[in-house]
């Protein structure tokens, strides 16, 4: 019974290490729940087959299980999945051989009593501790090579001293157990201490990875907020330019009077210079009018020009007074993220279009914003109802949608998305509530 528990414990730790390795280095295809269920199923099969006691069969199945998990649950080519599965298998085997060698040197009588449950547990914990230490170090160097943007957390490598210290403590446990005759109570305490020591290491590194992930998300959100703040400043500048243009047009009568005076004096050179200055003025640049809301008009004009450059038909129908209650910074965040996603999806599609509409539900404080855009493929396909991305770096996406949800939530609104397979169009419908 003790041997069975030790085998189960061994496979549990190996599964945790594989989860840590894959979650840190690779981009997942499926949700956490799906990956966790598949990993548990694979390792339960490995545990059941290990009862047969065939060492080589266990090693080959361990390699196959890791390969299947990598190729099905993560965005990896088959040869890369096979490479990483082989690395994990080789490291695990070498760690167990190293433990045999170390224990044989410092505790020569250990293996003569290898059948004792105390020794079995110490061997399993010792070998998995070294396995975890090597894999954590490997994760650090592979991640640094894969993504230079994560080099800022290189000091996390110092955490490797925790499992190294634990390995040293484990070696002392083994040496004490080999040199002294211990009471059953003390043997139990040492065994439990070894098990708790291993789980403490796993917990510390799990918390560390969780904190790194949250810090990265926080940094990305801060960059997104900075981008939106810059966009708001840009659109404020456009509004100022439009105001200057209105002033210039208002003053055009005075400019014409000045030109008439110069004409009476036959000063043609000065007239040409005067007209040239007016023509070069940025205030005379053409400004489109898509809606009566100044900030939103500036945003829509910018994306209309962007769509024209990408051969995308752009149409906007913004009803009067439907979005006046939205603050300028929220308006910028909401519509810029919506239109960024729409333009990205519609680019490169023949006869692509984007339609933006805002309406007010009659006799309610609710405004409805709808965006329909061309989209060649279903963004929900293979992602369990979540939006997928076409961006090369799949880790760093989704912050635009998070920003949209945040803005919608601040106005007690609702957001719905769906894809129409018949028309190849993506639909986003947002309902916002005007506060009293």
């Amino acid at each position: 019974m003790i041997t069975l528990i030790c085998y189960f414990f061994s496979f549990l730790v190996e599964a945790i290490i594989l989860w840590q390795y894959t979650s840190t280095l690779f981009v997942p295809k499926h949700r956490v729940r799906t990956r966790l269920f598949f990993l548990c199923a694979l390792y339960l099969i490995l545990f059941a087959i290990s009862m047969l006691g065939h060492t080589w069969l266990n090693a080959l199945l361990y390699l196959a299980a890791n390969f299947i998990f990598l190729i099905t649950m993560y965005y990896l080519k088959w040869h890369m999945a096979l490479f990483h599965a082989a690395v994990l298998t080789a490291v695990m085997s070498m760690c167990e051989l190293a433990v045999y060698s170390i224990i044989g040197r410092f505790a020569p009588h250990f293996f003569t009593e290898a059948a004792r449950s105390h020794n079995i547990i110490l061997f399993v914990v010792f070998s998995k501790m070294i396995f975890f230490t090597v894999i954590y170090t490997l994760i650090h160097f592979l991640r640094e090579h894969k993504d230079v943007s994560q080099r800022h957390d290189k000091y996390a490598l110092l955490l490797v001293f925790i499992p190294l210290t634990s390995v040293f403590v484990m070696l002392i446990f083994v040496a004490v157990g080999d040199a002294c005759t211990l009471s059953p109570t003390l043997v139990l305490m040492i065994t439990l201490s070894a098990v708790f020591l291993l789980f403490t290491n796993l917990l510390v590194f799990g918390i560390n990875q969780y904190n790194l992930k949250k810090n990265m998300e926080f940094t990305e959100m801060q960059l997104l907020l900075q981008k939106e703040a810059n966009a708001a400043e840009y659109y404020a500048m456009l509004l100022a330019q439009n105001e200057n243009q209105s002033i210039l047009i208002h003053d055009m009568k005075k400019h014409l009077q000045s030109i008439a005076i110069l004409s009476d004096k036959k000063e043609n050179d000065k007239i040409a210079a005067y007209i040239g200055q007016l023509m070069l003025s940025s205030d005379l640049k053409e400004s489109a009018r898509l809606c009566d809301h100044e900030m939103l008009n500036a945003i829509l004009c910018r994306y209309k020009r962007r769509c024209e450059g990408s051969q995308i038909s752009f149409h906007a129908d913004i009803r009067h007074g439907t979005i006046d209650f939205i603050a300028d910074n929220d308006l910028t965040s909401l519509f810029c993220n919506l239109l960024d996603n729409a333009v990205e999806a519609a680019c490169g599609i023949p006869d692509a279009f984007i339609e933006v509409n805002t309406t007010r539900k009659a006799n309610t404080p609710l405004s409805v914003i709808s965006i329909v855009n061309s989209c060649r493929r279903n963004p929900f396909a293979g992602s369990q109802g979540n939006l997928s991305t076409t961006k090369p770096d799949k880790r760093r996406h989704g912050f635009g949608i998070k920003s949209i949800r945040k803005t919608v939530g601040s106005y007690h609104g609702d957001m719905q998305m769906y894809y129409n397979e018949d028309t190849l169009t993506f639909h986003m419908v947002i309902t916002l509530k005007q506060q009293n």
Side-chain angles (χ1 to χ4, degrees):
M1 184 63 183
I2 296 297
T3 303
L4 192 66
I5 294 174
C6 287
Y7 272 116
F8 181 81
F9 174 77
S10 176
F11 280 103
L12 174 63
V13 174
E14 288 171 5
I16 293 173
I17 292 173
L18 175 62
W19 180 271
Q20 183 78 9
Y21 184 84
T22 54
S23 299
T24 305
L25 293 179
F26 311 122
V27 179
K29 291 181 181 178
H30 305 280
R31 292 181 297 178
V32 173
R33 184 185 305 173
T34 305
R35 285 180 284 142
L36 194 58
F37 175 80
F38 195 69
L39 179 65
C40 292
L42 283 175
Y43 271 76
L44 282 175
I45 294 172
L46 287 179
F47 170 68
I49 296 176
S50 68
M51 295 296 100
L52 299 175
H54 297 298
T55 304
W56 285 105
L57 177 62
N58 292 339
L60 288 174
L61 290 177
Y62 179 78
L63 172 65
N66 289 343
F67 172 75
I68 293 171
F69 181 70
L70 286 166
I71 198 67
T72 56
M73 296 290 110
Y74 294 88
Y75 288 100
L76 281 174
K77 301 293 185 181
W78 72 266
H79 53 87
M80 290 302 298
L82 182 61
F83 168 76
H84 287 283
V87 167
L88 289 165
T89 306
V91 170
M92 187 194 69
S93 302
M94 286 187 293
C95 288
E96 291 189 354
L97 290 174
V99 170
Y100 271 113
S101 177
I102 293 171
I103 292 180
R105 182 177 182 84
F106 289 93
H109 304 295
F110 183 87
F111 292 109
T112 60
E113 300 177 347
R116 293 175 57 189
S117 59
H118 168 69
N119 288 357
I120 293 174
I121 294 174
L122 285 181
F123 176 79
V124 169
V125 172
F126 198 174
S127 60
K128 300 313 169 190
M129 189 78 71
I130 294 180
F131 182 35
F132 175 68
T133 305
V134 175
I135 290 299
Y136 178 77
T137 307
L138 191 61
I139 286 172
H140 176 82
F141 286 109
L142 287 177
R143 183 176 57 186
E144 186 177 63
H145 175 73
K146 183 175 182 290
D147 187 358
V148 295
S149 66
Q150 293 195 17
R151 289 183 182 175
H152 63 276
D153 54 20
K154 61 184 179 180
Y155 295 107
L157 185 60
L158 295 176
L159 290 175
V160 80
F161 286 106
I162 296 176
L164 288 178
T165 304
S166 301
V167 168
F168 179 73
V169 173
M170 288 296 305
L171 188 58
I172 292 176
F173 285 168
V174 171
V176 169
D178 185 71
C180 306
T181 302
L182 304 175
S183 66
T185 303
L186 195 56
V187 168
L188 178 61
M189 292 177 63
I190 290 177
T191 303
L192 291 177
S193 298
V195 174
F196 291 153
L197 196 60
L198 176 58
F199 275 112
T200 299
N201 279 263
L202 296 175
L203 184 61
V204 166
F205 286 99
I207 293 173
N208 178 64
Q209 292 302 319
Y210 176 81
N211 288 335
L212 289 177
K213 179 183 177 181
K214 288 301 178 183
N215 287 338
M216 186 182 73
E217 291 183 356
F218 177 76
T219 302
E220 294 287 349
M221 284 299 294
Q222 289 296 316
L223 292 174
L224 181 62
L225 291 174
Q226 183 63 45
K227 175 184 174 182
E228 292 171 356
N230 292 339
E233 184 177 349
Y234 169 77
Y235 291 121
M237 181 184 68
L238 286 183
L239 293 180
Q241 179 180 328
N242 290 339
E243 184 179 356
N244 292 335
Q245 180 178 344
S246 299
I247 294 173
L248 179 61
I249 293 173
H250 179 268
D251 293 341
M252 187 58 68
K253 182 179 179 180
K254 299 180 179 62
H255 292 301
L256 292 175
Q257 290 174 347
S258 298
I259 291 173
I261 293 173
L262 293 175
S263 177
D264 292 339
K265 295 181 179 180
K266 308 297 184 181
E267 296 183 2
N268 295 330
D269 292 339
K270 290 185 178 181
I271 293 174
Y274 198 114
I275 294 175
Q277 290 178 354
L278 292 176
M279 293 298 295
L280 292 175
S281 174
S282 60
D283 297 333
L284 282 178
K285 290 182 179 179
E286 182 180 359
S287 177
R289 194 74 179 174
L290 298 178
C291 69
D292 58 2
H293 190 285
E294 295 296 334
M295 177 63 78
L296 183 57
N297 184 69
I299 295 173
L300 294 177
C301 287
R302 180 191 178 194
Y303 281 93
K304 181 178 175 64
R305 288 192 294 270
R306 183 175 168 184
C307 288
E308 289 172 351
S310 302
Q311 287 76 50
I312 300 173
S313 175
F314 186 91
H315 175 73
D317 182 9
I318 311 298
R319 301 300 173 91
H320 174 73
T322 53
I323 43 88
D324 291 345
F325 63 94
I326 306 177
D328 285 349
N329 60 320
D330 292 331
L331 194 75
T332 302
S333 174
L334 182 62
F335 279 90
C336 286
N337 282 302
L338 288 171
L339 292 171
D340 276 337
N341 292 339
V343 172
E344 180 185 346
C347 273
I349 300 177
D351 301 321
F353 69 91
I354 297 174
E355 293 182 359
V356 185
N357 298 281
T358 66
T359 58
R360 173 69 64 84
K361 287 189 176 182
N363 302 320
T364 70
L366 301 177
S367 290
V368 179
I369 301 170
S370 66
I371 293 186
V372 182
N373 59 269
S374 300
C375 188
R376 192 185 301 274
R377 67 179 189 86
N378 187 350
F380 300 104
S383 57
Q384 292 80 41
N386 297 318
L387 284 176
S388 60
T389 182
T390 57
K391 296 177 181 177
D393 188 354
K394 298 182 185 294
R395 286 181 184 272
R396 299 181 177 179
H397 82 282
F399 292 103
I401 290 294
K402 289 180 181 178
S403 178
I404 293 170
R405 291 188 189 279
K406 177 175 175 290
T407 304
V408 171
S410 64
Y411 288 88
H412 305 283
D414 178 64
M415 181 172 74
Q416 296 180 354
M417 302 173 285
Y418 65 92
Y419 182 73
N420 191 322
E421 295 279 1
D422 297 329
T423 59
L424 299 180
T425 54
F426 179 79
H427 298 249
M428 173 80 77
V429 181
I430 294 174
T431 304
L432 302 179
K433 183 178 181 181
Q434 181 175 359
Q435 304 301 305
N436 294 327

